[in-house]
Amino acid sequence: MNSVNVPDIIVSRLPVYLRALQYMAINGSTTTSSQELGEKVGISAAQIRKDLSQFGEFGKQGTGYHIQFLTERLQQILKVDKVWDVVLVGMGELGHAILRYQGFSHRGFQIVACFDSDPAKVGTQVGPYTIGNVSDIADVVKNAGIKMAMLCVPATAAQPVTDKLVEAGIKGILNYAPVSLTVPNNVRVQYIDPVIGLQRMVYYMVGK
Amino acid sequence: MNSVNVPDIIVSRLPVYLRALQYMAINGSTTTSSQELGEKVGISAAQIRKDLSQFGEFGKQGTGYHIQFLTERLQQILKVDKVWDVVLVGMGELGHAILRYQGFSHRGFQIVACFDSDPAKVGTQVGPYTIGNVSDIADVVKNAGIKMAMLCVPATAAQPVTDKLVEAGIKGILNYAPVSLTVPNNVRVQYIDPVIGLQRMVYYMVGK
DNA sequence: TAGATTGTTAATCGATTAACAATC
DNA sequence: TAGATTGTTAATCGATTAACAATC
């Protein structure tokens, strides 16, 4: 599928469009334009049209885009028209918060298992989940054919655990640990580091 | 300061370099090269040298960069050679996890106050913090001259709370709510949405 | 129909890379 | 010194924008 070969930077914007469209739908809109969508997400109308044109023609001259239709097409393109199984590794404070977060399933993801290396935590119940031992990750991932993982372990454990996950067949890692990971180039990593976000902003702060 | 006018995209990479350098220092290294640093963070050596050259000459031909020196210079450039006060709004599960996270202070940020709109939470103690009422945010922010905020409120509350924060003088918002925010162009927003990260990766997943 | 908005092209703009003289 | 690596230039590459014919 994937048309010819769409630039990463375009793919990376699609989820943002999708999120905005779903939000508009909730608020009762049925139609939008590249102009309106662009204002919502802070991207030019021309760029939105150009991005979408990589995948087909989804709008109508004069009227714009039917929100539900475009939403479904973006979900198909992004492959979130089905729900992906994800494993969660590292059950500290953050891991617990993620496990309890309700916002994954309706956007294409469900956590199916969680793991920790601390013997005091392994076997413990967290809501509907029983914390598994990290040493069993490979089996679980392989047997269930799971492709995605979220990583909430301490920085020092992040690379070794990543190596295990990759070995087990994981192809996408959402990394909450504040370190850059090294992975083969058929494996994707996305980083979540709040401090990086803060540091990117203070550069522009004046005074104080 | 800010040299002439450094492209956003370069500024956005500096925190990643800084994080890698600090990690190297912990592991006992004293010197690195653009080559080595590039491998760690997944960026070409040429680009790292080009990025740094925007701000000065920090290396030595033949030997590379002194890690501690470059670290300090990046901290100065990014303005994280001092600690910034930050307010946290929204004390759900995630807000609690953020409040307990130990990783902010040594990277330039400290949470000085937290807020919620739920009367059942306001006045409650969370570690050393007492949850304040959102209606008091403006006063606290103005009086203390606070410039940065973290936003962990539900999606529906995100824009109204943002408007209040901006009104109160906040210039940088780390937004955990899964919505795009509209702000004046002298205010910066960075987004933390794990689902966006996951969606950016599944596009590339094959099969299943 | 008239007005609005798409999809697309060409032009512009900006970012990345390759290469190398300078020099530690 | 010889080897290594910087800072920088010029060339390449890619992304964004402006503009407009097509058309709903």
Side-chain angles (χ1 to χ4, degrees), chain A residues 79 82 93 100 205, chain B residues 79 82 93 100 205 208:
Chain A
K79 301 185 185 160
K82 51 152 243 157
E93 188 86 34
R100 292 205 185 89
M205 300 293 122
Chain B
K79 300 185 186 161
K82 51 153 242 155
E93 189 86 34
R100 291 203 185 90
M205 301 292 122
K208 231 225 147 180

Side-chain angles (χ1 to χ4, degrees), chain B residues 93-172:
Chain B
E93 189 86 34
L94 181 61
H96 278 85
I98 290 170
L99 201 55
R100 291 203 185 90
Y101 179 58
Q102 296 300 311
F104 289 114
S105 58
H106 73 279
R107 295 173 70 196
F109 304 92
Q110 70 180 149
I111 297 170
V112 294
C114 63
F115 301 89
D116 202 287
S117 62
D118 181 353
K121 286 179 183 164
V122 173
T124 297
Q125 201 75 14
V126 182
Y129 301 93
T130 305
I131 300 180
N133 194 314
V134 276
S135 60
D136 299 328
I137 290 180
D139 285 345
V140 174
V141 166
K142 278 181 192 163
N143 291 339
I146 297 169
K147 294 277 170 286
M148 311 284 295
M150 298 195 227
L151 197 56
C152 306
V153 302
T156 48
Q159 188 63 55
V161 172
T162 295
D163 296 342
K164 261 192 208 171
L165 290 169
V166 170
E167 162 85 32
I170 288 290
K171 293 282 185 279

Side-chain angles (χ1 to χ4, degrees), chain B residues 7 9 23 32-33 53 65 68 74 78 81-82 90-92 108-110 112-113 119 132 136 148 178 182 201 206:
Chain B
I9 195 157
Y23 197 70
T32 189
S33 64
S53 75
Y65 301 92
Q68 204 197 324
L74 285 177
L78 287 169
D81 52 344
K82 51 153 242 155
M91 289 303 295
F109 304 92
Q110 70 180 149
V112 294
D136 299 328
M148 311 284 295
T182 302
M201 296 190 286
V206 290

Side-chain angles (χ1 to χ4, degrees), chain A residues 143-155:
Chain A
N143 290 339
I146 297 168
K147 294 277 169 286
M148 311 284 295
M150 297 194 229
L151 197 56
C152 307
V153 302

